[in-house]
């Protein structure tokens, strides 16, 4: 089965000079006609939020973070509510019932973070085979989709989001919070350091070393990848460069 069209295609560019790719879909948007990229999403003109009822359980539970945000976020079974400005509610409803929700329509929403510095809710979006994330602005409900929940830099001026697996290949995105609204762009090249091959993938866990350097840790999903190959991304003036 193919992933939904809005999941970015696997990156297979290996040029020596990295570039940022700005996709037209990498923009802030409001829900339209009750949907956000296929997810059941509306902004309601009523206040949020009461106590959570029927919170999600197990490894996908967001009960712990909901408990830290009383009056700002709540869950009622498959419905997640988030408080936005002017006493309004941003509501996301899961779609998991079969056969009404076919494989391509499956959506599961879990609150994974609140970034007070940026006044953003971070919501993971579980799909049938893949996933994504929404950054939702408290001030107006504008929403930005990323390939995965992003990781903030130490100062919070940047963030990276990464998917690296055999199904999707490598999808690496950088968020620039020095601009208003923040700008999302994709990195379209791969490191070419000693040990890298034409089918190598990034190791799956990005780690900020400082404000300008991101390394990638863990085990590469590509069998046979050299575990010692250097994967270090440097961001200078908002532009990424792979360093060997």
């Amino acid at each position: 089965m193919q992933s939904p069209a809005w999941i970015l295609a696997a990156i297979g560019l290996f040029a020596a000079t990295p570039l940022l790719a700005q996709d037209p879909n990498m923009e802030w948007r409001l829900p339209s006609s009750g949907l956000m990229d296929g997810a059941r999403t509306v902004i309601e003109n009523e206040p949020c939020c009461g106590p959570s009822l029927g919170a999600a359980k197990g490894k996908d539970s967001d009960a712990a973070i909901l408990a830290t945000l009383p009056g700002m976020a709540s869950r009622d079974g498959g419905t997640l509510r988030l408080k936005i400005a002017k006493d309004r509610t941003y509501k996301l409803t899961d779609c998991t019932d079969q056969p009404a929700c076919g494989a391509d329509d499956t959506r599961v929403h879990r609150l994974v973070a609140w970034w007070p510095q940026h006044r953003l809710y971070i919501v993971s979006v579980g799909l049938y085979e893949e996933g994504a994330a929404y950054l939702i602005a408290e001030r107006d409900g504008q929403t930005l989709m990323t390939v995965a929940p992003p990781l903030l830099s130490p100062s919070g001026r940047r963030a990276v989001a990464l998917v690296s697996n055999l199904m999707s290949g490598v999808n690496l995105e950088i968020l620039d919070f020095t601009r208003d609204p923040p700008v999302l762009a994709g990195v379209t090249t791969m490191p070419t350091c000693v040990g890298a091959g034409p089918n190598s993938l990034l190791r799956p866990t990005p780690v900020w070393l400082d404000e300008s350097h991101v390394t990638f840790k863990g085990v590469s999903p590509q069998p046979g990848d050299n575990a010692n190959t250097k994967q270090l991304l440097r961001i200078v003036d908002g532009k990424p460069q792979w360093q060997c």
Side-chain angles (χ1 to χ4, degrees), residues 1-7 103-105 127-130 167-168:
M1 190 194 83
Q2 293 183 344
S3 299
W6 48 269
I7 295 294
D104 287 344
D105 293 324
L127 307 173
Y128 179 65
E129 290 183 332
E130 282 289 349
M167 177 178 291
S168 295

Side-chain angles (χ1 to χ4, degrees), residues 35-207:
L35 295 172
M36 172 61 68
D37 297 307
R40 299 175 184 176
T41 310
V42 295
I43 295 178
E44 299 178 336
N45 291 316
E46 59 181 54
C48 180
C49 299
S52 290
L53 303 171
K57 299 179 181 180
K59 64 182 180 63
D60 294 327
S61 175
D62 52 5
I65 186 167
L66 289 170
T68 69
L69 298 171
M72 293 184 64
S74 68
R75 173 174 296 285
D76 185 357
T79 299
L80 175 64
R81 290 180 172 86
L82 305 171
K83 179 181 179 180
I84 60 175
K86 300 179 181 179
D87 286 328
R88 294 176 298 161
T89 297
Y90 190 108
K91 185 171 77 172
L92 296 131
T93 302
D94 293 349
C95 189
T96 57
D97 295 335
Q98 302 296 327
C101 295
D104 287 344
D105 293 324
T106 298
R107 301 285 191 281
V108 176
H109 308 94
R110 297 294 181 262
L111 182 64
V112 296
W114 160 248
W115 291 350
Q117 178 181 359
H118 302 297
R119 309 302 295 179
L120 288 173
Y121 299 100
I122 314 301
V123 176
S124 70
V125 183
L127 307 173
Y128 179 65
E129 290 183 332
E130 282 289 349
Y134 291 150
L135 279 63
I136 302 169
E138 181 208 24
R139 66 182 180 182
D140 55 12
Q142 291 279 346
T143 302
L144 180 70
M145 186 180 68
T146 58
V147 296
L151 177 69
L152 276 174
S153 67
S155 73
R157 290 181 295 175
R158 298 188 179 98
V160 293
L162 172 67
V163 168
S164 181
N165 59 44
L166 292 175
M167 177 178 291
S168 295
V170 174
N171 295 303
L172 176 62
E173 297 174 337
I174 296 178
L175 267 160
D176 182 358
F177 286 101
T178 66
R179 301 170 67 179
D180 188 18
V183 173
L184 176 70
V187 180
T188 62
T189 62
M190 288 282 288
T192 56
C193 302
V194 174
N199 298 314
S200 291
L201 300 177
L202 290 178
R203 294 184 281 272
T205 304
V207 177

Side-chain angles (χ1 to χ4, degrees), residues 194-196 203 216-220 222 224-231:
V194 174
R203 294 184 281 272
F216 299 84
K217 297 187 176 182
V219 178
S220 171
Q222 183 69 269
D225 270 1
N226 188 333
N228 297 316
T229 299
K230 190 172 183 179
Q231 296 183 347

